[in-house]
């Protein structure tokens, strides 16, 4: 190039290590790798398939116990479809069958993931340092499927001496735009590169990456691959569809204390959209939801209801002390930053001219109303909003209709207080479903 030195361009090499024997329990992986690849150099990254780590560590068991092994390795079921289970395992990884694998192992056995993949990576790194005097990074890899994408890829499940994440937040791109969400999974990218040369069935469980010494050692390597696991707080996709529904139902609580944080009106509308999918008789839509988004509307309604309630209690002969105590129970509505009044409408109902059948007709609509409110409460829980369904509007429907200027045919079916819970809800006592069942 006319004597000019060509500008150095970034590049790296990756190759599979040849000549490794079949790994057995008790083998020293570092010595096996050092013997097969004695020319390792400082700054190399050694990628080791988790299966050979598991074999060396004796993480093998009879295949007849595969389902029991999956159960033992599972912390939480994320999703289930037929016999396939996506679970969170004891290493914190979300994957199929907890990583229990029947491939690349003798017939009649299965492999479990290493007990502590980061510790395994540290042991291999220290062993290579002792055997060859080199400072390398080590990544223990495993094969993962991914949400929204077909196909499998290798990712890092254990690491030592290598940066697993590259946090670019706070920097700028080539055009000067600020980077606010870019964190690169370096260990996963290295693992995937190694898998291209190792292959899934070629008997080459170790690969080496050379040319990226800036990823080895230094700051950011101490946390190991555990740093790649997303925390529950930041995980928007912790559950499969059916599991998410069950979790939302289980997490719904009656909340009686709220913070001052405003309620997202869009979240309430999404919950209403879920509510109106409830079943109803005769293809009707018997639900109406009145949203009290202004403080003025809430205070005006609650003051009118309070006056009507006190008048009823006095007619019942209750003492002023008893009245004051009962009225305080309604404070949950007054303290909530958002109120919703579900109303039942009987449009589309049948009239038989028979008290028994007409009564049953209304009961069907009331049941549909309850189903709609339950949908609403569960959907609010899914939006991380607390709620309390209070029946008080049912006892002064005329007052509610007048204050809110509602049609005569709208029957208020309680009021729902909505807001952000002021604290964690108390644990619900366990209920055994069998005690509620009768089988014929």
């Amino acid at each position: 190039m006319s004597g000019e030195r060509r500008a150095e361009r970034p590049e790296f090499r990756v190759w599979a290590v040849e000549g490794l024997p079949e790994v057995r329990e008790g083998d020293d992986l570092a010595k096996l790798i050092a013997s097969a690849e004695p020319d390792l150099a400082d700054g190399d990254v050694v990628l080791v398939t988790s299966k050979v780590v598991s074999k060396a560590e004796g993480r093998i068991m009879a295949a007849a116990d595969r389902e029991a092994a999956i159960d033992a390795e599972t912390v939480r079921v994320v999703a289930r479809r037929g016999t396939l289970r996506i679970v969170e395992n004891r290493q914190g990884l979300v994957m199929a069958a907890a990583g229990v694998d029947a491939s690349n192992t003798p017939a009649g056995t299965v492999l479990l993931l290493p007990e502590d993949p980061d510790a395994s990576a540290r042991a291999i790194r220290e062993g290579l340092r002792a055997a060859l005097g080199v400072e390398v990074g080590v990544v223990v890899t495993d094969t993962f499927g991914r949400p929204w994408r077909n196909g499998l890829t290798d990712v890092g499940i254990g690491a030592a001496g290598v940066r697993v994440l590259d946090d670019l937040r706070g920097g700028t791109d080539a055009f000067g735009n600020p980077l606010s969400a870019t964190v690169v999974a370096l260990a996963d990218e290295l693992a995937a590169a190694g898998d291209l040369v190792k292959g899934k069935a070629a008997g080459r469980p170790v690969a080496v990456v050379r040319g990226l010494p800036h990823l080895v050692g230094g700051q950011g390597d101490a946390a190991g691959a555990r740093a790649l696991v997303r925390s529950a707080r930041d995980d928007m996709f912790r559950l499969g569809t059916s599991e998410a529904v069950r979790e939302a139902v289980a997490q719904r609580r009656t909340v009686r204390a709220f913070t001052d944080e405003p309620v997202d009106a869009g979240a309430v509308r999404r919950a209403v959209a879920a509510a109106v999918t409830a079943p109803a008789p005769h293809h009707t839509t018997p639900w109406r939801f009145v949203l009290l988004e202004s403080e003025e509307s809430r205070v005006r309604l609650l003051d009118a209801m309070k006056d009507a309630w006190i008048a009823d209690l006095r007619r019942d002969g209750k003492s002023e002390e008893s009245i004051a105590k009962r009225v305080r129970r309604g404070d949950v509505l007054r303290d909530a930053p958002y109120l919703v009044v579900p109303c039942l409408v009987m449009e589309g109902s049948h009239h038989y001219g028979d008290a028994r059948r007409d009564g049953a007709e209304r009961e069907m609509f009331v049941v549909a109303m309850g189903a709609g409110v339950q949908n609403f409460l569960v959907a609010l829980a899914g939006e991380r909003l607390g709620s309390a369904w209070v029946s008080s509007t049912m006892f002064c429907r005329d007052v509610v209709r007048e204050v809110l200027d509602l049609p005569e045919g709208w029957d208020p079916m309680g009021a729902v207080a909505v807001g952000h819970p002021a604290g964690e809800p108390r644990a619900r006592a366990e209920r055994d479903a069998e005690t509620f069942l009768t089988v014929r």
Side-chain angles (χ1 to χ4, degrees):
M1 298 179 60
S2 304
E4 293 182 10
R5 186 177 181 181
R6 186 176 181 179
E8 188 173 318
R9 61 187 180 190
E11 60 184 14
F12 66 90
R13 290 178 54 217
V14 57
W15 68 91
V17 174
E18 301 286 357
L20 283 165
E22 178 65 28
V23 176
R24 293 179 172 82
E25 183 175 355
D27 283 348
D28 187 326
L29 278 177
K31 288 184 178 180
L32 293 178
I33 295 169
S35 177
E37 194 66 43
D39 295 329
L40 284 174
D42 289 347
D44 287 347
V45 179
V46 180
L47 309 166
V48 186
T49 303
S50 65
K51 291 182 178 62
V52 295
V53 178
S54 295
K55 289 178 179 179
E57 295 179 355
R59 297 280 286 164
I60 188 168
M61 66 183 304
D65 292 328
R66 184 170 190 268
E67 293 304 314
I70 295 172
D71 291 340
E73 295 293 299
T74 295
V75 172
R76 176 176 61 89
V77 175
V78 174
R80 185 192 303 266
R81 181 170 295 174
T83 59
L84 176 63
R85 280 185 279 174
I86 306 298
V87 306
E88 179 185 345
N89 65 17
R90 292 190 293 111
Q91 291 84 355
L93 304 169
V94 175
M95 59 194 310
V100 177
D101 198 344
S103 64
N104 292 300
T105 185
T109 64
V110 296
L111 287 171
L112 311 181
L113 289 180
E115 187 79 29
D116 184 345
D118 284 330
S120 302
R122 288 193 296 271
I124 295 170
R125 184 180 190 233
E126 291 164 4
L128 290 172
R129 182 192 296 124
L132 301 176
V134 292
E135 291 295 333
V136 299
V138 175
V139 178
V140 176
T141 71
D142 199 63
T143 302
F144 269 48
R146 299 151 299 155
W148 312 294
R149 305 283 287 180
N150 286 323
L152 305 169
T153 187
D154 266 22
V155 303
I157 66 168
V162 62
R163 288 165 55 200
V164 298
L165 292 169
D166 191 10
D167 191 346
L168 302 178
R169 292 172 296 183
T172 57
D173 64 16
F175 294 91
N177 300 309
L179 299 173
S180 59
T182 304
V183 181
V184 180
L186 296 173
D188 290 351
E189 292 184 331
L190 290 165
D195 191 48
L196 291 173
V197 295
K198 287 189 298 180
K200 295 297 184 190
R204 296 190 292 263
V206 178
V208 178
V209 173
R210 178 169 291 170
L212 301 173
H214 60 287
L215 302 185
V216 177
Q219 297 297 318
D221 66 340
R226 187 74 188 186
L228 291 158
V229 178
R230 195 184 298 275
S231 69
R233 175 178 291 275
D234 296 328
D235 187 354
M236 295 175 65
F237 311 102
R238 280 181 64 74
L239 297 167
T241 302
S242 60
E243 289 75 18
V245 171
R246 287 196 295 272
E247 181 74 6
V249 171
Q251 291 301 314
R252 188 211 63 77
R253 295 287 195 279
T254 295
V255 175
R256 298 188 179 279
F258 302 96
T259 69
D260 295 332
E261 183 179 351
V263 171
D264 176 14
V268 177
R269 284 162 171 77
R270 290 192 292 273
V272 171
V276 298
T277 65
H282 315 315
H283 305 289
T284 58
T285 53
W287 320 276
R288 302 293 185 271
F289 291 83
V290 184
L291 311 183
L292 278 62
E293 296 184 337
S294 70
E295 183 178 6
E296 186 275 332
S297 65
R298 294 192 297 273
V299 170
R300 186 158 48 90
L301 173 65
L302 295 176
D303 284 349
M305 287 172 54
K306 178 180 177 180
D307 292 342
W309 194 7
I310 291 174
D312 280 346
L313 292 172
R314 284 174 176 162
R315 281 194 295 270
D316 292 340
K318 302 296 183 183
S319 68
E320 293 302 313
E321 181 182 357
S322 174
I323 290 172
K325 183 177 180 180
R326 290 168 183 263
V327 168
R328 281 196 299 272
R329 294 175 186 168
D331 285 347
V332 61
L333 297 178
R334 197 170 292 274
D335 294 340
Y338 199 109
L339 289 183
V340 179
V341 178
C343 295
L344 171 67
V345 298
M346 296 293 292
E347 295 172 5
S349 62
H350 295 175
H351 299 280
Y352 300 98
D354 176 284
R356 178 182 61 83
R357 297 173 70 190
D358 285 341
E361 181 79 2
R362 179 173 175 80
E363 286 179 356
M364 287 197 303
F365 276 73
V366 171
V367 168
M369 187 72 220
V373 172
Q374 172 70 352
N375 277 11
F376 181 62
L377 300 178
V378 169
L380 288 174
E383 296 279 354
R384 295 178 176 249
L385 290 170
S387 63
W389 185 18
V390 181
S391 62
S392 53
T393 67
M394 298 183 190
F395 295 91
C396 53
R397 285 176 171 148
D398 289 341
V399 171
V400 176
R401 279 192 288 260
E402 180 180 353
V403 171
L404 299 181
D405 192 25
L406 303 179
E408 181 64 28
W410 289 27
D411 279 348
M413 303 295 284
V416 179
V418 182
H420 295 273
E424 289 294 322
R426 290 184 298 177
R428 178 185 286 137
E430 290 292 330
R431 293 176 181 173
D432 182 2
E434 293 297 323
T435 63
F436 301 92
L437 299 178
T438 299
V439 180
R440 294 289 187 262

